Amino acid sequence: MFPYFSSRRIVCLFALGMSLATPLVRAQNMDVEVPRVLKNIEFYQDELVVVHEGLIFHALPDSPHYTLRALMGDPKGAAKGLIFDFGNVEMSGKLYFGFIPEGDSRHPLPVYFKTTADILGGRSFINIQDQLAGRYAMVNWEKTGRGPLGYRVADSNGNLLYDGKISFRGSGPFEVDVSCVSGPFVNLVQPEGATISFETNRAVAAAVIVDGRTFRESAPATRHEIALTGLAPDSLYSYQIQYGENTSQAYSFRTAPLPGTRKPFTLAYASDSRNGQGGGERNLYGANYYIVKKIMALAHYRQSAFMQFSGDLVEGYLGSTDEIRLQYANWKRAIEPFAHHMPVYISMGNHEVLLREFGGRTEKGVFRFEVDRFPYETESSEAVFAEMFVNPTNGPESEDGASYDPQKRRVNFPTYKENVFYYTHDNVAVIVLNTNYWFTPS
C-alpha cells in the first residue's frame, strides 16, 4: 500500500489494528512488579503465573532465537582483519562483507566482496589485508588507514539474519574504530530545524555540523539525538555528523515550509513490511528489506517531503526485547540510505507487540494467556518502540491517572510517548494513533 497525496486542506489520521486490556502487587524478594491492572497474574513459589478458574498456568520461556547484541558479532581487531564472535558455539553460516563507499553515492550501500567468510563455532574472520587490498581497496584504506565495512550474517540455510556495519583502522594489525552502527536519520523536520539521530558502537560526545555551526552533545553516549535550530524554512542544508577523531559522514535534508505557505508537495504513506516469502532480502529476520528499500527509493524519486509508515514494520509477536530490537534494526537499515535525507514517521501495528505469555494443558485443552510485556516502563511494546525510533513527544502520557487507574502514584499502564502523536507540514496535519496500545488479548 503506497499512495501519494497532494496538499490541499487535509487532516490525515493513520492507525492500524485494535486491542484493550483488563485490571502493582509487589511480590516479596522479587525484582518484577505485576501491574495491579493484571488482576490474575501473581507470584507462586517465586514464579510468575496466571491463576484462572482455580488452576495455575506458568510463564512460558522468553528464549529468543537471535538477539541484536549477539548478531552484531562484537567485532575485534586482529593481525590481518576483524574477528566476529556471535556468542553461540553451535552457530554456523556465512558472513557477507564489503566496503561502504561513503561519498561516492547519495545513498551509499555496501559493495559485497565476491567471496564470503565462514561462520564456524559461532565465530568468523574477515581478512582485510589479503582479500580487500590492492584493486579491491575501494575506500582507499591502505592510504588513510581506516575504512567502513558492511556485513550480513546468514545462517547455514542461507537465511539472512542481520545487516550491520562497522569501521576499522590500521593496516595490519587492525582495530575496530569508533563506528556509526545505525543511521544517521533525519527526524522531526520543522521550518527552523530538525533532529539528527544515530548510534555508535561506543560512547562518544557526537556533533552535527550544519550551516557553519556545530551542535555538540554535552556528554558521551551511544544513542544520539541532536536537535538543530535556527535554520531557514524550506531550505536545503548539507549536514555532517562527527562521532570520533577525524570520523564523519555528510548528507543533506530540506527544512519544512512555514505554515500557510501552501506550496505543493508530495507525502508518502505505506504500512505492513514484515517479512515475506521468496527468500533473500524479502525476509531479513523479521523485515521485508527488499520491498522497504524499493518503497523508500520510490518516495525519494517522487521527492516526498516525508514518509508516514503506519505499523506492522516487522514480524514481531515476540517475548524478548532484544529479539525485537534485532528486527527493528534490520528494518531501520532498509530505510537508512534514504532516511539520511528525508524524515520517516513511524507508528505501531499489532506486529510490534512484545508479550509475556503463560500457558498449560488442562482437561479442557490447552490454555494460553498473552499480555503486553511488563515492567511497562522498560519492556512494554510501547517503551521499546519509543527507544528504537524518534517521533514527536506531544501526545498524552499514558492511562495512568485515569478514573480506572488503581494506583494514582504508580505506573500501571504503558507510555503513549512516541507512539501517539501529531505533526504538521504546511497545511497538512497528521495525527498518529496506536490502536494496539496495551496489547493484552487475554
Side-chain angles (χ1 to χ4, degrees), residues 368-384:
R368 192 179 186 95
F369 303 91
E370 298 175 324
V371 299
D372 195 357
R373 190 167 181 84
F374 58 87
Y376 292 144
E377 304 98 308
T378 55
E379 296 188 23
S380 65
S381 310
E382 294 81 1
V384 177

Side-chain angles (χ1 to χ4, degrees), residues 13-20 269 271-272 310-312 317 347-353 433-439:
L13 201 65
F14 294 123
L16 189 67
M18 182 76 67
S19 176
L20 189 64
Y269 169 76
S271 65
D272 202 344
S310 289
D312 286 4
Y317 280 105
S347 55
M348 295 181 68
N350 61 298
H351 280 264
E352 275 67 71
V353 301
L433 304 180
N434 177 9
T435 55
N436 296 282
Y437 175 75
W438 197 22
F439 189 89

Side-chain angles (χ1 to χ4, degrees), residues 93-360:
K94 298 287 185 182
L95 191 65
Y96 298 89
F97 59 90
F99 289 127
I100 305 173
E102 295 169 351
D104 282 4
S105 167
R106 182 173 171 82
H107 310 290
L109 289 166
V111 179
Y112 291 107
F113 192 56
K114 58 184 178 180
T115 62
T116 59
D118 290 332
I119 301 174
L120 298 172
R123 293 166 65 88
S124 189
F125 172 66
I126 297 177
N127 190 330
I128 299 172
Q129 192 171 77
D130 292 342
Q131 292 184 298
L132 299 177
R135 60 176 176 164
Y136 298 114
M138 61 184 300
V139 294
N140 203 24
W141 69 267
E142 292 170 305
K143 182 178 179 180
T144 64
R146 58 178 56 204
L149 269 173
Y151 62 98
R152 280 185 169 176
V153 182
D155 66 15
S156 57
N157 294 316
N159 299 307
L160 297 175
L161 304 177
Y162 174 63
D163 189 284
K165 56 183 182 177
I166 198 72
S167 296
F168 66 89
R169 63 191 307 165
S171 55
F174 296 86
E175 60 180 297
V176 171
D177 202 356
V178 179
S179 308
C180 178
V181 296
S182 179
F185 301 97
V186 175
N187 312 103
L188 311 180
V189 173
Q190 304 289 323
E192 297 180 352
T195 295
I196 306 299
S197 65
F198 55 99
E199 296 179 37
T200 50
N201 62 333
R202 63 188 72 156
V204 295
V208 176
I209 301 173
V210 62
D211 197 30
R213 291 186 293 156
T214 300
F215 298 83
R216 187 175 301 279
E217 291 175 312
S218 59
T222 56
R223 293 180 179 271
H224 311 275
E225 295 182 20
I226 300 177
L228 313 179
T229 58
L231 305 182
D234 196 18
S235 299
L236 183 64
Y237 285 95
S238 295
Y239 72 94
Q240 187 179 66
I241 63 169
Q242 289 189 335
Y243 49 90
E245 181 183 352
N246 300 319
T247 306
S248 65
Q249 297 175 36
Y251 303 101
S252 64
F253 71 94
R254 180 175 290 277
T255 52
L258 286 171
T261 302
R262 301 184 69 82
K263 177 181 176 182
F265 69 91
T266 299
L267 68 92
Y269 169 76
S271 65
D272 202 344
S273 57
R274 55 200 178 90
N275 60 259
Q277 298 298 315
E281 289 188 343
R282 286 176 174 80
N283 183 5
L284 210 161
Y285 202 70
N288 195 324
Y289 190 105
Y290 169 81
I291 199 65
V292 171
K293 191 166 60 175
K294 292 177 77 70
I295 286 172
M296 290 299 297
L298 178 58
H300 189 267
Y301 174 75
R302 296 286 187 91
Q303 298 181 323
S304 301
F306 61 90
M307 157 77 80
Q308 171 63 47
F309 205 101
S310 289
D312 286 4
L313 287 68
V314 296
E315 185 65 14
Y317 280 105
L318 298 170
S320 164
T321 57
D322 208 35
E323 188 169 11
I324 203 166
R325 288 187 183 101
L326 168 62
Q327 296 193 357
Y328 284 150
N330 287 331
W331 190 90
K332 289 169 71 174
R333 183 77 79 246
I335 71 167
E336 183 179 302
F338 306 95
H340 294 323
H341 305 276
M342 62 175 285
V344 180
Y345 298 89
I346 303 155
S347 55
M348 295 181 68
N350 61 298
H351 280 264
E352 275 67 71
V353 301
L354 273 167
L355 299 167
R356 281 193 182 271
E357 298 180 290
F358 303 81

